[in-house]
């Protein structure tokens, strides 16, 4: 057993037992969310970013924390992905009949990934856990997209055969110009469990040998957030985990916040501090609350460990002018985060 696998067993198994018990009680009764197009049920009216042209970009949720953003509208040729995890294979995490298995082998459904991801020119990776980076090596090699991520992400991708010239290592504080849009890299934090601990922490300072084969071979590798700002369009703050560096995020003022829903209350005043640092964005989109081992072809099911309703209620209480949008897998949004079509 690897050191990381031991850490997953010791630091994560107890919390996963709790998660499994909760899922055992609730997952069978979990109901799909109403479609995002049903505005009365899925979004709060008010606080819209009126200055953002709806056709300046389209956005589609890929589940977990993942997004596909097409700049210049759908099919506009300037594709950006954030944390694309599309294959969504079972690990036991959501299954009340089995335990979470850190030795689950990594796999990639290449046809499915290509169909959902298109041909991106840029892929932003928040951290190196499997539900954020699993499909990135295939996408990098099949599309030639540039990858922006941590040093750990760099070493993992190199070990899996990605050309080093495609990978840009960042730490936080960088502002990258892609001629038509910019990416501000924001030092961030991974979410903590109910014991105030990180899940599967660790960093790499060289490509691992052998290359990662199981989910336990992928440490967190530190966590980043990104603010993507489209010229003449929206600025979008992208989170891959439900914690953040308040000083690094302060003053960014995005139009749209893709806010990760926490699985515990270990982070002090998470919602008011996050909204305060970012200036109460006009639109808040909760992410990373879904059962991410179910295919994207169905409706999203809630992870019963996540208090999505409580999170939404707190956002609305703390920032009543913000519009809250609950995404689904099929809806394509315009830059103003209003539905324009279904995928």
């Amino acid at each position: 057993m690897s050191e990381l696998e031991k850490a997953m067993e010791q630091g994560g198994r107890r919390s996963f037992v709790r998660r499994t018990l909760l899922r055992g009680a609730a997952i069978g009764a979990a109901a799909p969310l109403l479609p995002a197009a049903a505005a009365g049920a899925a979004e709060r009216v008010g606080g819209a970013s009126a200055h953002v042209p709806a056709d300046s970009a389209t956005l589609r949720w890929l589940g977990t924390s993942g997004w596909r953003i097409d700049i210049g509208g759908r099919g506009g040729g300037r594709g950006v992905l954030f944390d694309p995890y599309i294959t969504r294979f079972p690990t036991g995490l959501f299954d009340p009949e089995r335990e979470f298995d850190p030795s689950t082998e990594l796999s990639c459904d290449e046809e499915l990934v290509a169909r959902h991801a298109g041909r991106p020119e840029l892929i932003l990776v928040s951290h190196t856990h499997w539900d954020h980076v699993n499909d990135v090596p295939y996408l990098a090699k099949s599309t030639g997209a540039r990858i922006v991520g941590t040093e750990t992400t760099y070493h993992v991708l190199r070990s899996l055969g990605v050309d080093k010239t495609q990978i840009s290592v960042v730490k936080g504080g960088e502002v990258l110009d892609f001629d038509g849009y910019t990416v501000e890299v924001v030092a961030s934090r991974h979410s903590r469990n109910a014991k105030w601990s990180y899940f599967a922490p660790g960093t790499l300072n060289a490509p691992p040998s052998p290359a990662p084969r199981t989910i336990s071979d992928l440490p967190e590798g530190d966590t980043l957030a990104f603010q993507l700002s489209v010229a003449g369009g929206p600025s979008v703050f992208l989170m891959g985990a439900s914690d953040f560096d308040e000083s690094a995020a302060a003053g960014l003022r995005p139009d749209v916040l893709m806010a990760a829903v926490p699985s515990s209350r270990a982070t002090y005043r998470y919602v008011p501090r996050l909204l305060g640092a970012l200036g109460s964005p006009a639109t808040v989109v909760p992410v990373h609350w879904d059962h991410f081992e179910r295919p994207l072809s169905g409706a999203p099911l809630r992870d019963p460990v996540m208090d999505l309703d409580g999170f939404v209620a707190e956002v609305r209480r703390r920032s009543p002018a913000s519009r809250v949008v609950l995404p689904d897998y099929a809806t394509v949004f315009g830059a103003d985060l209003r539905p324009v079509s279904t995928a």
Side-chain angles (χ1 to χ4, degrees), residues 51-52 227-230 233-237 252-257:
H51 68 284
V52 175
Q227 180 152 302
L228 171 69
S229 299
V230 178
S235 57
V236 182
F237 190 85
L252 287 176
R253 302 296 187 266
D255 297 304
V256 180
L257 165 60

Side-chain angles (χ1 to χ4, degrees), residues 138-286:
Y138 165 72
L139 284 166
K141 290 184 281 189
S142 63
T143 68
R146 174 154 301 281
I147 316 300
V148 176
T150 65
E151 183 179 357
T152 295
T153 296
Y154 172 87
H155 291 311
V156 164
L157 296 182
R158 290 289 295 124
S159 73
L160 293 168
V162 177
D163 189 324
K164 65 181 181 181
T165 64
Q166 287 179 249
I167 312 169
S168 299
V169 175
V170 292
K171 298 181 179 181
E174 299 89 349
V175 182
L176 310 177
D177 187 351
F178 290 96
D179 189 20
Y181 62 94
T182 60
V183 173
E184 297 177 69
V185 185
V186 185
S188 194
R189 300 289 183 268
H190 195 273
S191 50
R192 263 72 57 74
N193 59 29
K195 295 184 180 294
W196 302 276
S197 298
Y198 291 117
F199 170 71
T203 58
L204 299 173
N205 55 22
S209 181
R213 185 183 60 84
T214 71
I215 62 174
S216 68
D217 296 329
L218 296 174
E220 175 207 332
D222 295 327
T223 294
L224 301 168
F226 299 92
Q227 180 152 302
L228 171 69
S229 299
V230 178
S235 57
V236 182
F237 190 85
L238 298 156
M239 300 180 71
S242 57
D243 203 351
F244 68 108
D245 183 326
E246 191 167 4
S247 60
L252 287 176
R253 302 296 187 266
D255 297 304
V256 180
L257 165 60
M258 307 304 190
V261 177
S263 62
S264 77
R265 301 192 67 84
T267 298
Y268 175 68
R269 301 185 73 243
Y270 171 62
V271 171
R273 288 174 51 240
L274 178 63
L275 294 174
L278 297 175
S280 294
T283 304
V284 178
V285 184

Side-chain angles (χ1 to χ4, degrees), residues 37-89:
E43 65 181 50
R44 181 184 179 93
V45 176
S49 300
H51 68 284
V52 175
D55 61 356
S56 58
T58 58
L59 302 92
R60 180 184 170 195
W61 188 40
L62 299 176
T64 322
S65 61
W67 286 90
R68 172 177 171 173
I69 301 172
D70 290 303
I71 296 169
R74 194 175 184 189
R78 308 289 312 275
V80 178
L81 297 177
F82 174 67
D83 282 2
Y85 179 49
I86 296 166
T87 299
R88 298 165 74 91
F89 50 76

Side-chain angles (χ1 to χ4, degrees), residues 12 75 306 317:
M306 307 293 191
R317 184 171 64 254

Side-chain angles (χ1 to χ4, degrees), residues 265-342:
R265 301 192 67 84
T267 298
Y268 175 68
R269 301 185 73 243
Y270 171 62
V271 171
R273 288 174 51 240
L274 178 63
L275 294 174
L278 297 175
S280 294
T283 304
V284 178
V285 184
V287 297
H288 216 328
W289 48 262
D290 59 323
H291 180 321
F292 57 77
E293 296 180 3
R294 295 287 294 265
L296 293 175
S297 56
L301 295 182
R302 302 187 190 196
D303 177 347
V305 170
M306 307 293 191
D307 183 9
L308 177 60
D309 292 336
F311 177 83
V312 169
E314 187 169 12
V315 170
R316 289 175 171 170
R317 184 171 64 254
R318 300 285 181 176
S319 183
S322 297
R323 184 167 55 102
V324 179
V325 176
L326 293 183
D328 62 33
Y329 305 145
T331 300
V332 178
F333 296 93
D336 56 357
L337 263 293
R338 297 184 185 280
V340 295
S341 67
T342 56

